[in-house]
Amino acid sequence: MAARYTEAVLAALGVLSVCSASSSSGSGASGKAGGEAEWAEPWDGAVFRPPAALGAVGMTRGLGSPPPGNAETVDLPVLLWWSPGLFPHFPGDSERIECALGACVASRDRRARADPRTRALLFYGTDFRAADAPLPRLAHQSWALLHEESPLNNFLLSHGPGIRLFNLTATFSRHSDYPLPLQWLPGAAYLRRPAPPLRERAEWRRRGYAPLLYLQSHCDVPSDRDRYVRELMRYIPVDSYGKCLQNREPPTVRLQDTATATTEDPELMAFLSRYKFHLAMENAICNDYMTEKLWRPMHLGAVPVYRGSPSVRDWMPNNHSVILIDDFESPQKLAEFIDFLDKNDEEYMKYLAYKQPGGITNQFLLDNLEHREWGVNDPMLPNYLNGFECFVCDHELARLDAEKAHESSPRDIPVLEPHIAQLSHMDCPVPTPGFGKVEEIPENDRVSLCSPGSPGDQASLELIEIRLPLPPHC
Ligand SMILES: *[C@@H]1O[C@H](CO)[C@@H](O)[C@H](O)[C@H]1NC(C)=O
Ligand SMILES: *[C@@H]1O[C@H](CO)[C@@H](O)[C@H](O)[C@H]1NC(C)=O
């Protein structure tokens, strides 16, 4: 009844004829136009069905008039990328993808949102805004989240109610459905690259270089790293070239460009490898969140002085390859240890033993590198965007099969349990000061520690009935 009502209303508005007219296949939209009433989306304007959006990629089968009551009519599931900035296909708005269990259609045409074949919506975490969420949520659709970044980019997702909006995740966490903890590590060979001779570094030290490098231009971040580095600088020389705590000029104009700082630019790499120790501090503290800040110094044969993922030990090539800041009771103690290694080549070189043949003894790391199906800058392997897309496709194909199986024998085959993301997929404890106690930090200096904070964010969250707790110190 609702269906007929919708059809009548849409016909009255002229929507059905608009859809028919815009259908490139000419098959018209009326065959299935009597969808559920709640699928008409206010923000999609008058457009009800998206034949033009999906017709061009072998999707026409279902768009004609299927034989009434023919349950065998097979349509490819549609995966709709909801975040406007991200669609890993070119050119066009839709593409058929072939995955392990079968094919799907990936689309970025939001008009496909109401289509019964649209089985999954894909979101890019950094762009996810409650105010833009496609509500009401349709029961037959999974929400899939790709968020390889830390909560700096979107704090909402590191709260239980935020992450549990999603069914499938690809995050930095090993616990996510499609884990990306090694997203910044191209492979074991990247770690094995030989280190430059120590005498080269000794020469740079003689010319006035500090033992430690700091290169950071994003200063106000949840890990509050500058507060620690400022204290550390009291006890050991640190050369800081980025905008945060800068005390030296990069040697060339090109290297002053912060855009160069996250690349593998050869001039930058050569410059960075002059340093024996690199301060490697992530912008937020989350289990399994590790970036190029950690892997790049290892590639260059420097020792990372690291603060970031609390579980970082699990991923290290051996158990003597990084200096973990949190192993030291104070910046002063850490400085003393770095100074000791700086003056003692034999002890220093032990930190680079993983570069020797057989030196990578962490089987967990090796297994993860070997078994991941995506690559980092590897033309022979899919990137993780397309990899995750196929993961979602396969998940939806399996879910469709399970639904059909249940429909055909409801007594024997139970309904599929919901699959819902967990907080462990974005495991980031409440931010704490990078150095010292909360009480010692002036109120006006707590910005980075206190997101989620702004009333605007909170208002937009209420749309999806989420209220986030503020960290206790805010
Ligand atoms: C570190 O490595 C040494 C030598 O391989 C080994 O004996 C020791 O058990 C390891 N320690 C940890 C905590 O894994
Ligand atoms: C997807 O997640 C939502 C929200 O947590 C949940 O209500 C729904 O049952 C899940 N759907 C599936 C297909 O698992």
mmCIF file of all heavy atoms in Angstrom, residues 137 139-143 164-167 395 399 417-421, ligand 2:
data_model
loop_
_atom_site.group_PDB
_atom_site.id
_atom_site.type_symbol
_atom_site.label_atom_id
_atom_site.label_comp_id
_atom_site.label_asym_id
_atom_site.label_seq_id
_atom_site.Cartn_x
_atom_site.Cartn_y
_atom_site.Cartn_z
ATOM 1 N N ARG A 137 18.465 5.888 8.216
ATOM 2 C CA ARG A 137 19.279 4.779 7.767
ATOM 3 C C ARG A 137 18.391 3.650 7.235
ATOM 4 O O ARG A 137 17.375 3.334 7.822
ATOM 5 C CB ARG A 137 20.029 4.292 9.001
ATOM 6 C CG ARG A 137 21.198 3.497 8.660
ATOM 7 C CD ARG A 137 22.044 3.322 9.878
ATOM 8 N NE ARG A 137 23.008 2.294 9.565
ATOM 9 C CZ ARG A 137 24.114 2.094 10.223
ATOM 10 N NH1 ARG A 137 24.372 2.839 11.272
ATOM 11 N NH2 ARG A 137 24.932 1.157 9.862
ATOM 12 N N ALA A 139 17.462 -0.145 6.430
ATOM 13 C CA ALA A 139 17.786 -1.390 7.139
ATOM 14 C C ALA A 139 18.621 -2.358 6.292
ATOM 15 O O ALA A 139 19.395 -3.141 6.830
ATOM 16 C CB ALA A 139 16.508 -2.067 7.608
ATOM 17 N N HIS A 140 18.472 -2.296 4.985
ATOM 18 C CA HIS A 140 19.177 -3.294 4.163
ATOM 19 C C HIS A 140 20.594 -2.852 3.807
ATOM 20 O O HIS A 140 21.313 -3.583 3.140
ATOM 21 C CB HIS A 140 18.388 -3.573 2.884
ATOM 22 C CG HIS A 140 18.464 -2.458 1.863
ATOM 23 N ND1 HIS A 140 17.811 -1.263 2.023
ATOM 24 C CD2 HIS A 140 19.141 -2.359 0.697
ATOM 25 C CE1 HIS A 140 18.081 -0.483 0.977
ATOM 26 N NE2 HIS A 140 18.886 -1.110 0.160
ATOM 27 N N GLN A 141 21.000 -1.673 4.258
ATOM 28 C CA GLN A 141 22.312 -1.163 3.857
ATOM 29 C C GLN A 141 23.339 -1.239 4.979
ATOM 30 O O GLN A 141 23.073 -0.831 6.105
ATOM 31 C CB GLN A 141 22.200 0.294 3.385
ATOM 32 C CG GLN A 141 21.491 0.410 2.048
ATOM 33 C CD GLN A 141 21.300 1.855 1.613
ATOM 34 O OE1 GLN A 141 21.450 2.794 2.399
ATOM 35 N NE2 GLN A 141 20.937 2.019 0.348
ATOM 36 N N SER A 142 24.526 -1.733 4.644
ATOM 37 C CA SER A 142 25.654 -1.674 5.573
ATOM 38 C C SER A 142 26.328 -0.307 5.428
ATOM 39 O O SER A 142 26.367 0.246 4.337
ATOM 40 C CB SER A 142 26.700 -2.732 5.220
ATOM 41 O OG SER A 142 26.166 -4.019 5.255
ATOM 42 N N TRP A 143 26.867 0.158 6.529
ATOM 43 C CA TRP A 143 27.728 1.344 6.460
ATOM 44 C C TRP A 143 29.169 0.873 6.644
ATOM 45 O O TRP A 143 29.489 0.175 7.606
ATOM 46 C CB TRP A 143 27.362 2.351 7.559
ATOM 47 C CG TRP A 143 26.140 3.172 7.264
ATOM 48 C CD1 TRP A 143 25.155 2.898 6.346
ATOM 49 C CD2 TRP A 143 25.764 4.403 7.898
ATOM 50 N NE1 TRP A 143 24.199 3.888 6.378
ATOM 51 C CE2 TRP A 143 24.545 4.820 7.312
ATOM 52 C CE3 TRP A 143 26.340 5.189 8.894
ATOM 53 C CZ2 TRP A 143 23.894 5.996 7.707
ATOM 54 C CZ3 TRP A 143 25.688 6.355 9.302
ATOM 55 C CH2 TRP A 143 24.480 6.748 8.697
ATOM 56 N N ARG A 164 30.407 2.782 16.350
ATOM 57 C CA ARG A 164 29.358 1.755 16.237
ATOM 58 C C ARG A 164 28.260 2.120 15.241
ATOM 59 O O ARG A 164 27.342 1.336 15.017
ATOM 60 C CB ARG A 164 28.774 1.447 17.625
ATOM 61 C CG ARG A 164 29.714 0.586 18.471
ATOM 62 C CD ARG A 164 29.039 -0.015 19.697
ATOM 63 N NE ARG A 164 28.695 0.994 20.691
ATOM 64 C CZ ARG A 164 29.501 1.360 21.691
ATOM 65 N NH1 ARG A 164 30.690 0.805 21.835
ATOM 66 N NH2 ARG A 164 29.124 2.287 22.545
ATOM 67 N N LEU A 165 28.354 3.293 14.637
ATOM 68 C CA LEU A 165 27.436 3.604 13.534
ATOM 69 C C LEU A 165 27.721 2.705 12.334
ATOM 70 O O LEU A 165 26.897 2.564 11.447
ATOM 71 C CB LEU A 165 27.642 5.053 13.071
ATOM 72 C CG LEU A 165 27.166 6.170 13.972
ATOM 73 C CD1 LEU A 165 27.691 7.495 13.444
ATOM 74 C CD2 LEU A 165 25.654 6.169 14.034
ATOM 75 N N PHE A 166 28.922 2.128 12.321
ATOM 76 C CA PHE A 166 29.366 1.442 11.109
ATOM 77 C C PHE A 166 29.313 -0.067 11.285
ATOM 78 O O PHE A 166 29.391 -0.570 12.396
ATOM 79 C CB PHE A 166 30.782 1.892 10.749
ATOM 80 C CG PHE A 166 30.829 3.374 10.485
ATOM 81 C CD1 PHE A 166 31.095 4.273 11.516
ATOM 82 C CD2 PHE A 166 30.523 3.864 9.232
ATOM 83 C CE1 PHE A 166 31.085 5.639 11.284
ATOM 84 C CE2 PHE A 166 30.512 5.230 8.993
ATOM 85 C CZ PHE A 166 30.792 6.120 10.015
ATOM 86 N N ASN A 167 29.178 -0.750 10.178
ATOM 87 C CA ASN A 167 29.162 -2.208 10.196
ATOM 88 C C ASN A 167 30.525 -2.781 9.845
ATOM 89 O O ASN A 167 30.948 -3.772 10.437
ATOM 90 C CB ASN A 167 28.109 -2.729 9.217
ATOM 91 C CG ASN A 167 26.723 -2.211 9.548
ATOM 92 O OD1 ASN A 167 26.265 -1.233 8.959
ATOM 93 N ND2 ASN A 167 26.076 -2.836 10.512
ATOM 94 N N HIS A 395 31.610 -9.107 1.218
ATOM 95 C CA HIS A 395 30.768 -9.190 2.409
ATOM 96 C C HIS A 395 29.291 -9.097 2.032
ATOM 97 O O HIS A 395 28.459 -9.848 2.544
ATOM 98 C CB HIS A 395 31.136 -8.060 3.384
ATOM 99 C CG HIS A 395 30.330 -8.042 4.641
ATOM 100 N ND1 HIS A 395 30.699 -8.712 5.776
ATOM 101 C CD2 HIS A 395 29.157 -7.438 4.931
ATOM 102 C CE1 HIS A 395 29.798 -8.524 6.719
ATOM 103 N NE2 HIS A 395 28.838 -7.751 6.236
ATOM 104 N N ARG A 399 26.323 -11.759 2.346
ATOM 105 C CA ARG A 399 25.138 -11.399 3.129
ATOM 106 C C ARG A 399 23.863 -11.658 2.308
ATOM 107 O O ARG A 399 22.863 -12.148 2.841
ATOM 108 C CB ARG A 399 25.241 -9.928 3.550
ATOM 109 C CG ARG A 399 24.271 -9.496 4.624
ATOM 110 C CD ARG A 399 24.732 -8.221 5.317
ATOM 111 N NE ARG A 399 24.630 -7.026 4.497
ATOM 112 C CZ ARG A 399 23.537 -6.278 4.402
ATOM 113 N NH1 ARG A 399 22.440 -6.608 5.068
ATOM 114 N NH2 ARG A 399 23.524 -5.198 3.644
ATOM 115 N N GLU A 417 23.214 -12.619 12.062
ATOM 116 C CA GLU A 417 23.445 -11.671 13.169
ATOM 117 C C GLU A 417 23.966 -10.348 12.605
ATOM 118 O O GLU A 417 24.737 -10.350 11.647
ATOM 119 C CB GLU A 417 24.520 -12.226 14.110
ATOM 120 C CG GLU A 417 24.103 -13.430 14.925
ATOM 121 C CD GLU A 417 23.105 -13.069 16.002
ATOM 122 O OE1 GLU A 417 23.209 -11.953 16.551
ATOM 123 O OE2 GLU A 417 22.207 -13.896 16.270
ATOM 124 N N PRO A 418 23.570 -9.226 13.218
ATOM 125 C CA PRO A 418 24.161 -7.949 12.751
ATOM 126 C C PRO A 418 25.676 -7.935 12.983
ATOM 127 O O PRO A 418 26.172 -8.567 13.921
ATOM 128 C CB PRO A 418 23.478 -6.886 13.609
ATOM 129 C CG PRO A 418 22.431 -7.561 14.403
ATOM 130 C CD PRO A 418 22.627 -9.044 14.307
ATOM 131 N N HIS A 419 26.350 -7.259 12.108
ATOM 132 C CA HIS A 419 27.801 -7.105 12.220
ATOM 133 C C HIS A 419 28.061 -5.627 12.491
ATOM 134 O O HIS A 419 27.754 -4.785 11.658
ATOM 135 C CB HIS A 419 28.442 -7.549 10.898
ATOM 136 C CG HIS A 419 29.932 -7.541 10.912
ATOM 137 N ND1 HIS A 419 30.679 -8.671 11.132
ATOM 138 C CD2 HIS A 419 30.820 -6.537 10.735
ATOM 139 C CE1 HIS A 419 31.959 -8.372 11.093
ATOM 140 N NE2 HIS A 419 32.079 -7.075 10.860
ATOM 141 N N ILE A 420 28.590 -5.324 13.670
ATOM 142 C CA ILE A 420 28.726 -3.918 14.076
ATOM 143 C C ILE A 420 30.156 -3.644 14.526
ATOM 144 O O ILE A 420 30.763 -4.456 15.236
ATOM 145 C CB ILE A 420 27.719 -3.589 15.212
ATOM 146 C CG1 ILE A 420 26.286 -3.809 14.702
ATOM 147 C CG2 ILE A 420 27.896 -2.157 15.707
ATOM 148 C CD1 ILE A 420 25.222 -3.717 15.766
ATOM 149 N N ALA A 421 30.670 -2.498 14.115
ATOM 150 C CA ALA A 421 32.052 -2.145 14.466
ATOM 151 C C ALA A 421 32.189 -1.922 15.973
ATOM 152 O O ALA A 421 31.225 -1.612 16.661
ATOM 153 C CB ALA A 421 32.483 -0.898 13.711
HETATM 154 C C1 LIG B 2 24.727 -2.232 10.925
HETATM 155 O O1 LIG B 2 24.951 -1.431 12.057
HETATM 156 C C2 LIG B 2 23.776 -0.866 12.585
HETATM 157 C C3 LIG B 2 24.157 0.138 13.661
HETATM 158 O O2 LIG B 2 25.012 -0.378 14.590
HETATM 159 C C4 LIG B 2 22.890 -1.997 13.081
HETATM 160 O O3 LIG B 2 21.720 -1.477 13.649
HETATM 161 C C5 LIG B 2 22.564 -2.922 11.930
HETATM 162 O O4 LIG B 2 21.834 -4.025 12.389
HETATM 163 C C6 LIG B 2 23.818 -3.397 11.242
HETATM 164 N N1 LIG B 2 23.458 -4.058 9.997
HETATM 165 C C7 LIG B 2 23.972 -5.224 9.630
HETATM 166 C C8 LIG B 2 23.522 -5.736 8.318
HETATM 167 O O5 LIG B 2 24.760 -5.846 10.293
#
